[in-house]
Amino acid sequence: MRRKWSEQIHFNLMLLPGMLLVLLFTIWPMGGIVLAFKHFIPTKGIWGSPWTGWENYSFVFDTPVALRVFKNTVIIALMKIAFGFFIPIVFALMLNELRIHWFKRTVQTIVYLPHFLSWVLLAGILRDFFAVDGIVNQLLGKFGINEIMFLGDNFWFRTIIVGSDIWKEFGFGTIIYLAALTGINPSLYEAADIDGATRMQKLKYVTLPGIATTIVLVGTLSLQNVLNAGFDQIFNLYNTLVYDSSDIIDTYVFRAGIEEGHYEVGTAIGLLKSGVSFILIIISYGLASRLANYRIF
C-alpha cells in the first residue's frame, strides 16, 4: 500500500490544489446553512445569532411571492426541458442525413458555437434585438405592425427566455445524439437497403432504436433540472415589469438575500431548493440506471 502511494504521489499532488479550492469555496461555506433557522444579526455573526426554528420558512410560505416564484420556476424549467429535449433529436437526425460532409461539419460548428457564449453577452444582444426601437420591431413596422414591448410583456418575455435558451444549447445536445448515431452498426443499414427499405423505414427501424438508450438517458437525467430555470439568463434579462412570469427561485434568493439584506430568508429558500433538487437527482439517476443501465458508481 505504501509503495503504491509513493508511485502515485505526483498524481495526488496534482489533485491537491483542486481539492483545497473545493474545500475552501464549497465545503467550508456550507456551515452557513444554519442561517435558515436563525434570525441573523450582523453584529453577533452567524453562530451568535438567535435560533428561530422554522419561522423563516413560515414567513416565506405566508407571502404570495413564494407561490409565484415556485410556479414560474417549474413552468420555465419544464418548458426548457420539453422543447430542449426534442429539438436536438430532430436536428441530429436531419444533420445525420446530410451527405455533403463539409456542409455538415460547418452547420454542426455554427449551431454549437452559442453554447460557449455567456448570458451576459447574449443578454446584451437580445436587448438590442427586442428593444422597442430594436431590429425586430423595425421589421414588424415594415409590415404595419405596431411596436411590441417584448421584454416588458409577460407572455413574450417567457417566450424569449425559453426560445433563446433552446437556441443556445440545442447544438450541444445535437453533438450527443450525433455521437450516439456513429455507434450504430453500418451493416444494419446495408441489410435494410438489401431488403428495399426506404429512408423513413431505416429511420424508424434502425436509427431510432439505435439511439433509444441515449434518448432515455438524456430524458431521465433532465428531470433533475425541474427547479433550475436558469438564473444567469433571467437575471441578465428580466425587470420589474415581468416579475409575474419570470421571477424564479434563484433570482428571488439573490434579491432577498443580497439586495434586501434578508440573508436568513434567502438561505432558507436556497436550502429548500437544494433539498428538493437532491431528491430529484436521486430519482433521475435511479430512472437512468433502471431504464438505460446508466451508473456513475
Side-chain angles (χ1 to χ4, degrees):
M1 185 69 180
R2 184 177 299 177
R3 180 180 177 182
K4 186 177 180 180
W5 171 262
S6 62
E7 291 176 351
Q8 296 181 348
I9 189 170
H10 51 288
F11 295 116
N12 295 321
L13 290 175
M14 290 173 63
L15 287 173
L16 185 60
M19 294 176 64
L20 289 176
L21 290 175
V22 171
L23 178 65
L24 182 62
F25 294 104
T26 304
I27 306 301
W28 178 259
M30 286 184 68
I33 62 176
V34 296
L35 274 180
F37 309 99
K38 289 191 169 192
H39 172 60
F40 181 62
I41 301 175
T43 55
K44 293 185 178 182
I46 295 176
W47 302 106
S49 298
W51 292 90
T52 58
W54 299 97
E55 286 186 13
N56 291 322
Y57 288 98
S58 299
F59 171 78
V60 169
F61 287 109
D62 286 341
T63 60
V65 178
L67 178 61
R68 183 186 71 189
V69 297
F70 275 99
K71 181 185 73 173
N72 289 338
T73 302
V74 173
I75 291 175
I76 294 175
L78 288 178
M79 290 174 67
K80 287 182 176 181
I81 291 172
F83 291 105
F85 175 68
F86 291 105
I87 291 178
I89 298 173
V90 175
F91 191 80
L93 294 174
M94 294 172 60
L95 204 59
N96 189 57
E97 295 297 319
L98 291 177
R99 294 296 176 260
I100 307 175
H101 294 291
W102 67 266
F103 182 71
K104 178 180 178 179
R105 289 194 297 269
T106 302
V107 173
Q108 184 176 328
T109 303
I110 291 173
V111 300
Y112 189 43
L113 281 177
H115 173 74
F116 298 98
L117 301 178
S118 71
W119 277 114
V120 176
L121 175 62
L122 291 178
I125 297 173
L126 290 173
R127 285 182 182 276
D128 289 338
F129 265 74
F130 293 101
V132 176
D133 57 348
I135 297 174
V136 175
N137 273 313
Q138 290 179 19
L139 291 174
L140 293 176
K142 299 291 185 180
F143 298 96
I145 302 175
N146 294 330
E147 296 175 344
I148 300 175
M149 199 172 182
F150 289 102
L151 299 178
D153 183 273
N154 284 297
F155 171 77
W156 286 112
F157 185 84
R158 186 177 287 175
T159 304
I160 292 171
I161 286 293
V162 176
S164 59
D165 181 77
I166 294 169
W167 167 75
K168 183 177 184 293
E169 300 296 340
F170 87 95
F172 181 79
T174 301
I175 298 294
I176 296 174
Y177 293 113
L178 285 174
L181 287 168
T182 60
I184 300 177
N185 192 340
S187 62
L188 295 175
Y189 290 104
E190 295 173 0
D193 288 330
I194 294 173
D195 290 339
T198 63
R199 180 170 292 187
M200 290 303 298
Q201 288 175 329
K202 286 188 287 186
L203 174 65
K204 181 179 180 180
Y205 296 106
V206 179
T207 305
L208 287 177
I211 63 172
T213 301
T214 303
I215 294 174
V216 172
L217 175 62
V218 173
T220 52
L221 292 182
S222 65
L223 294 176
Q224 61 188 289
N225 294 317
V226 169
L227 292 183
N228 292 320
F231 167 77
D232 46 353
Q233 178 195 17
I234 295 177
F235 179 75
N236 283 287
L237 283 171
Y238 83 147
N239 54 75
T240 54
L241 296 176
V242 290
Y243 274 1
D244 288 340
S245 64
S246 65
D247 195 19
I248 61 173
I249 295 174
D250 294 326
T251 55
Y252 179 70
V253 167
F254 178 85
R255 197 167 62 253
I258 304 299
E259 294 182 350
E260 299 176 3
H262 301 305
Y263 304 107
E264 61 271 37
V265 174
T267 305
I269 300 174
L271 180 60
L272 177 63
K273 180 200 169 185
S274 298
V276 176
S277 297
F278 180 69
I279 295 173
L280 291 174
I281 289 173
I282 294 176
I283 294 173
S284 64
Y285 276 91
L287 291 173
S289 175
R290 188 185 187 96
L291 301 176
N293 198 27
Y294 174 81
R295 294 181 176 86
I296 57 176
F297 300 111

